[in-house]
Amino acid sequence: MVPSQEDPAAARGTSEAQPPGPAPLGAAPLPGLGPSDSPEATAAEKVEVELAGPAGAEPPEPPEGGWGWLVMLAAMWCNGSVFGIQNACGVLFVSMLKTFGSKDDDKMVFKTAWVSSLSMGMIFFCCPIVSVFTDILGCRKTAVMGAAFGFVGLMSSSFVSSIEPLYLTYGIIFACGCSFAYQPSLVILGHYFKKRLGLVNGIVTAGSSVFTILLPFLLRVLTDSVGLFYTLRVLCIFMFVLFLAAFTYRPLASSAKEKDSGTKGGNRFSLFSRRKFSPPKKIFNFAIFKVTAYAVWAAGIPLALFGYFVPYVHLMKHVNERFQDEKNKEVALMCIGITSGVGRLLFGRIADYVPGVKKVYLQVLSFFFIGLMSMMIPLCSVFGALIAVCLIMGLFDGCFISIMAPIAFELVGAQDVSQAIGFLLGFISIPMTVGPPVAGLLRDKLGSYDVAFYLAGIPPLIGGAVLCFIPWIHSKKQRELGKSTEGEKMEKMLENQNSLLSSSSGIFKKESDSVI
């Protein structure tokens, strides 16, 4: 059942939600009304049509600019605020040890590491849930709500008196808010850009690099002058700006008809309209795991990231222990941020010229160097050598991050990309949460970070090897689909020929009967 022009409810069904696309994979066509159909069944069909869009409808064509540039800047601030703070957690980690540390507690490094790792892990753990909210409420509402929660969590973290409450305020509330603000910033870019998506993703993800460069110095000055708690209150300003920036995630109308109906209804630019949202037919679209290439990708990326976040959390502590005479120790984190920004712009642009899922090979390359550089950190006996390692690590860190969204679009398409990214980031939460505390426990037991950094370099090498199979799997599946499509075309042609022959024979029989 397709809404007609006389159906006003269906016409304004997507004026505030995410831009509609083709019907979900595996969805059966909606049947027409029969003698036994009730009004309730008819209403249910209308809801499904509103959510799925008109039968055979295509997603709106990305404008490749215009308002999209403002959306890009807002998404860039989002990435900078969320991951700039997370990547600079090494400075906050040292400040937390000074503020809450005790000489009698021999596991303080392990306990404190849980704050940052839980925060980063929760950002990704919430992503599958965020994808559902994004599908139902749209990018704008979800991001605004997330920024508000992040502000509350960060502000409440500045009033604690021990390390344990930070697990809730900073590790869960603040992180969940960041998750709800972050994922819509990835999804919305695919609706405004297609040809330039790799470049735009590089620019957006470079936002966290810019913040990673600046925040270590800012946080060190603030923690030394005003202490940990006032530093957290200053960071609340970043979340408030993010709250305002999220209002720019304006949904695109799929047709001129919907645009007109949304304008007449007066709620196209309204953030919280009175229209009620019905839940989608499938809350979690597990059908995307039937795409074998995506399933392998969703398994390989988390496998590669068990040691990924260890340098961000423990590098500053390692530098303080190994290079005590150095003054500007946060330069190591700054170097990762600088080359990460360069890598995101450079490889984001390169990804635009790499066809299809072959972009995965760029991630394979990045994981190889990330793992290798992690193993080289404890081998650096000179601070200059450590700086060189951080520069290389940051470059390929930027490569890995900037092409994540374009690969997701290639594997599952724009219709399912929100939940595809959500599931992937949810899986990532496990290694991101477990890695740093394990490294902290090894440091407490062994007295140094050497073994922790050696072990942190192994998972990226294994995960990269797994990802090498994705282009082959994807091309094999495409060939199978091409053969089945050709077979279906041939069957239809034969059916048409048979129907023509039967109709012509019927006509010939009638003419012969009339002649007789």
Side-chain angles (χ1 to χ4, degrees), residues 231-309:
T231 300
L232 294 175
R233 292 167 194 169
V234 171
L235 291 178
C236 288
I237 299 174
F238 291 80
M239 301 308 297
F240 180 72
V241 176
L242 176 57
F243 173 80
L244 299 177
F247 281 88
T248 64
Y249 297 167
R250 191 171 71 191
L252 293 174
S254 62
S255 64
K257 173 188 168 182
E258 291 185 359
K259 187 180 293 185
D260 294 339
S261 63
T263 305
K264 292 176 182 177
N267 62 354
R268 174 166 165 74
F269 298 99
S270 171
L271 178 67
F272 297 105
S273 63
R274 295 182 179 180
R275 186 173 66 83
K276 295 181 179 180
F277 289 88
S278 302
K281 192 174 183 179
K282 291 183 179 180
I283 298 294
F284 292 105
N285 183 17
F286 293 106
I288 59 176
F289 290 100
K290 294 180 180 179
V291 181
T292 309
Y294 172 76
V296 174
W297 190 57
I301 295 291
L303 180 62
L305 294 182
F306 269 97
Y308 172 80
F309 199 47

Side-chain angles (χ1 to χ4, degrees), residues 21-29 48 51-53 56-58 135 280-292 294 408-420 474 477-478 481:
L25 293 174
E48 292 180 4
L51 289 165
E58 293 293 331
D135 288 341
K281 192 174 183 179
K282 291 183 179 180
I283 298 294
F284 292 105
N285 183 17
F286 293 106
I288 59 176
F289 290 100
K290 294 180 180 179
V291 181
T292 309
Y294 172 76
F409 273 91
E410 294 289 347
L411 292 176
V412 300
Q415 176 70 18
D416 297 314
V417 73
S418 175
Q419 295 213 22
H474 185 75
K477 192 68 175 178
Q478 291 298 109
L481 290 174

Side-chain angles (χ1 to χ4, degrees), residues 220-493:
R220 183 179 66 83
V221 171
L222 289 173
T223 53
D224 291 343
S225 57
V226 299
L228 174 65
F229 300 130
Y230 281 100
T231 300
L232 294 175
R233 292 167 194 169
V234 171
L235 291 178
C236 288
I237 299 174
F238 291 80
M239 301 308 297
F240 180 72
V241 176
L242 176 57
F243 173 80
L244 299 177
F247 281 88
T248 64
Y249 297 167
R250 191 171 71 191
L252 293 174
S254 62
S255 64
K257 173 188 168 182
E258 291 185 359
K259 187 180 293 185
D260 294 339
S261 63
T263 305
K264 292 176 182 177
N267 62 354
R268 174 166 165 74
F269 298 99
S270 171
L271 178 67
F272 297 105
S273 63
R274 295 182 179 180
R275 186 173 66 83
K276 295 181 179 180
F277 289 88
S278 302
K281 192 174 183 179
K282 291 183 179 180
I283 298 294
F284 292 105
N285 183 17
F286 293 106
I288 59 176
F289 290 100
K290 294 180 180 179
V291 181
T292 309
Y294 172 76
V296 174
W297 190 57
I301 295 291
L303 180 62
L305 294 182
F306 269 97
Y308 172 80
F309 199 47
V310 171
Y312 287 99
V313 175
H314 295 286
L315 183 62
M316 289 302 301
K317 180 69 175 174
H318 171 73
V319 171
N320 287 335
E321 294 175 353
R322 182 69 63 88
F323 307 101
Q324 298 178 358
D325 298 332
E326 293 292 333
K327 294 182 179 180
N328 298 321
K329 299 181 179 67
E330 36 311 299
V331 170
L333 277 180
M334 184 191 73
C335 289
I336 293 178
I338 291 174
T339 52
S340 181
V342 174
R344 295 171 198 221
L345 294 172
L346 175 63
F347 288 101
R349 187 57 177 167
I350 291 174
D352 288 336
Y353 296 98
V354 178
V357 295
K358 290 185 178 180
K359 297 179 177 68
V360 171
Y361 288 130
L362 294 176
Q363 282 192 330
V364 173
L365 182 68
S366 66
F367 282 137
F368 174 78
F369 278 96
I370 288 173
L372 186 63
M373 293 302 107
S374 295
M375 293 179 174
M376 292 186 66
I377 288 175
L379 299 177
C380 297
S381 57
V382 181
F383 190 65
L386 180 64
I387 294 298
V389 167
C390 291
L391 288 171
I392 298 173
M393 179 182 286
L395 182 68
F396 288 97
D397 169 77
C399 172
F400 153 65
I401 292 174
S402 65
I403 59 176
M404 186 178 294
I407 290 175
F409 273 91
E410 294 289 347
L411 292 176
V412 300
Q415 176 70 18
D416 297 314
V417 73
S418 175
Q419 295 213 22
I421 293 175
F423 280 123
L424 176 67
L425 298 182
F427 295 149
I428 286 175
S429 68
I430 299 173
M432 297 287 273
T433 304
V434 172
V438 171
L441 186 61
L442 290 172
R443 159 63 182 78
D444 289 334
K445 296 295 183 182
L446 302 177
S448 72
Y449 281 110
D450 291 359
V451 175
F453 283 120
Y454 289 141
L455 294 178
I458 296 175
L461 301 178
I462 298 174
V466 173
L467 297 183
C468 289
F469 293 97
I470 292 177
W472 175 76
I473 294 172
H474 185 75
S475 61
K476 181 181 178 183
K477 192 68 175 178
Q478 291 298 109
R479 287 194 298 269
E480 292 176 356
L481 290 174
K483 291 180 180 179
S484 62
T485 303
E486 290 178 2
E488 290 176 359
K489 288 181 179 178
M490 289 296 294
E491 289 180 1
K492 289 182 178 179
M493 288 177 62

Side-chain angles (χ1 to χ4, degrees), residues 58 66 70 94 111 118 171 178 341 349 397 450:
E58 293 293 331
L70 188 59
V94 174
K111 290 181 179 180
L118 184 61
C178 289
R349 187 57 177 167
D397 169 77
D450 291 359

Side-chain angles (χ1 to χ4, degrees), residues 121-190:
M122 284 302 296
I123 288 177
F124 296 123
F125 179 77
C126 292
C127 283
I129 303 172
V130 178
S131 65
V132 175
F133 277 84
T134 303
D135 288 341
I136 297 175
L137 301 179
C139 292
R140 180 162 53 178
K141 295 181 181 181
T142 305
V144 168
M145 181 174 60
F149 271 100
F151 179 89
V152 171
L154 203 55
M155 180 62 72
S156 59
S157 298
S158 66
F159 293 99
V160 302
S161 57
S162 62
I163 194 71
E164 286 78 11
L166 285 175
Y167 297 154
L168 174 64
T169 58
Y170 189 92
I172 296 179
I173 298 176
F174 168 64
C176 288
C178 289
S179 181
F180 273 75
Y182 164 66
Q183 194 188 342
S185 72
L186 293 180
V187 176
I188 194 67
L189 295 176

